[in-house]
Amino acid sequence: MKLIGRNLSPYSRRIAIAMTLLDVPHEREYLSVTADPDRGLEINPVGRVPVLELDDGERLIESGVILDYLMELVGPAKSLVPPHGRSRRDCLQLMAIATGVLDKAVAAIYEVRRRPAEKVHEPWRQHLLIQATGGLKALEAHKQNPWMLGDFLTLADISAGVTVSFLRVMLPELVPADAWPKLYDLCERCEALAAFQAHPLETP
Ligand SMILES: N[C@@H](CCC(=O)N[C@@H](CS)C(=O)NCC(=O)O)C(=O)O
């Protein structure tokens, strides 16, 4: 199995971390689709990472779909998503909020980095930041005891952890430490885990 995408991509990083936690052996192709858009389009119809290439050549796209495949692969006893009920829904919702924050933050970053300065539309960028902040507020408000779903680490913690680490490097204006104390604490506890340290966030 091969995971394609580099660790600057938080969507890719959360998969690499989950695969390490679950002991799923895999190779890695540290692709930047910015540097090599043709390779991106070769492996994914919409040219994005992450992509998980299975041993028979089948390719899965979308980090949520890839994680769903991995949870099915390892089975319910090892899954990083609770099996049913409110805790499962909470886990999936928290994951959706974390990736929603990323979607908005990445769009705000692209607004500045991918456009000539005179074409950046500041009101739109501000709207994206407001949306990302809304998601951060929801994540910050969620209880942690010690993890978001209680005693055990789930994909909700991993997704929130990689999101905050990414923002601290790429969009620090959005995440001053004093504004998000619980998320900073969660992020630091996540980054202290061996599986996170095995896949450190790249700097651009
Ligand atoms: N919803 C997708 C988002 C993936 C995504 O946006 N990846 C970024 C890298 S962080 C990318 O490939 N961007 C290139 C582009 O959109 O052109 C997922 O969860 O996998």
Side-chain angles (χ1 to χ4, degrees):
M1 214 180 289
K2 181 162 76 171
L3 174 60
I4 307 174
R6 58 184 181 157
N7 287 334
L8 179 58
S9 161
Y11 307 95
S12 303
R13 189 174 178 231
R14 70 176 181 150
I15 292 172
I17 290 165
M19 291 180 95
T20 295
L21 273 168
L22 296 169
D23 291 322
V24 178
H26 61 282
E27 301 164 43
R28 194 78 187 269
E29 178 182 327
Y30 291 96
L31 176 69
S32 158
V33 289
T34 308
D36 191 350
D38 290 345
R39 175 68 179 145
L41 286 165
E42 186 184 305
I43 56 167
N44 177 343
V46 291
R48 298 193 298 198
V49 289
V51 172
L52 186 68
E53 194 170 84
L54 306 187
D55 292 340
D56 64 0
E58 181 186 353
R59 291 196 185 111
L60 302 179
I61 65 163
E62 280 293 322
S63 58
V65 173
I66 294 169
L67 288 168
D68 180 67
Y69 166 78
L70 292 170
M71 297 312 115
E72 187 190 20
L73 182 73
V74 299
K78 284 183 77 181
S79 175
L80 297 169
V81 178
H84 47 68
R86 179 63 194 261
S87 59
R88 179 176 177 82
R89 291 198 300 280
D90 282 352
C91 184
L92 295 173
Q93 287 291 296
L94 290 163
M95 290 167 64
I97 294 168
T99 49
V101 169
L102 284 174
D103 294 344
K104 296 301 165 183
V106 168
I109 292 165
Y110 286 171
E111 184 69 21
V112 174
R113 294 192 173 209
R114 302 269 174 108
R115 288 178 185 274
E118 69 279 9
K119 292 197 172 159
V120 172
H121 187 49
E122 188 55 25
W124 175 241
R125 195 183 79 87
Q126 287 302 325
H127 180 68
L128 294 167
L129 296 180
I130 288 167
Q131 289 176 292
T133 302
L136 287 170
K137 281 184 184 159
L139 295 176
E140 175 75 15
H142 194 85
K143 64 183 183 312
Q144 295 176 25
N145 186 26
W147 302 107
M148 292 178 118
L149 274 300
D151 288 340
F152 46 89
L153 182 88
T154 68
L155 289 180
D157 306 293
I158 297 171
S159 302
V162 299
T163 296
V164 175
S165 292
F166 174 79
L167 294 176
R168 285 169 76 171
V169 171
M170 296 299 290
L171 208 49
E173 70 191 89
L174 198 63
V175 285
D178 55 348
W180 312 107
K182 282 165 63 189
L183 282 178
Y184 261 63
D185 177 60
L186 177 71
C187 173
E188 272 155 29
R189 283 186 290 119
C190 284
E191 292 294 346
L193 299 171
F196 273 69
Q197 291 184 3
H199 305 285
L201 178 67
E202 281 170 51
T203 43

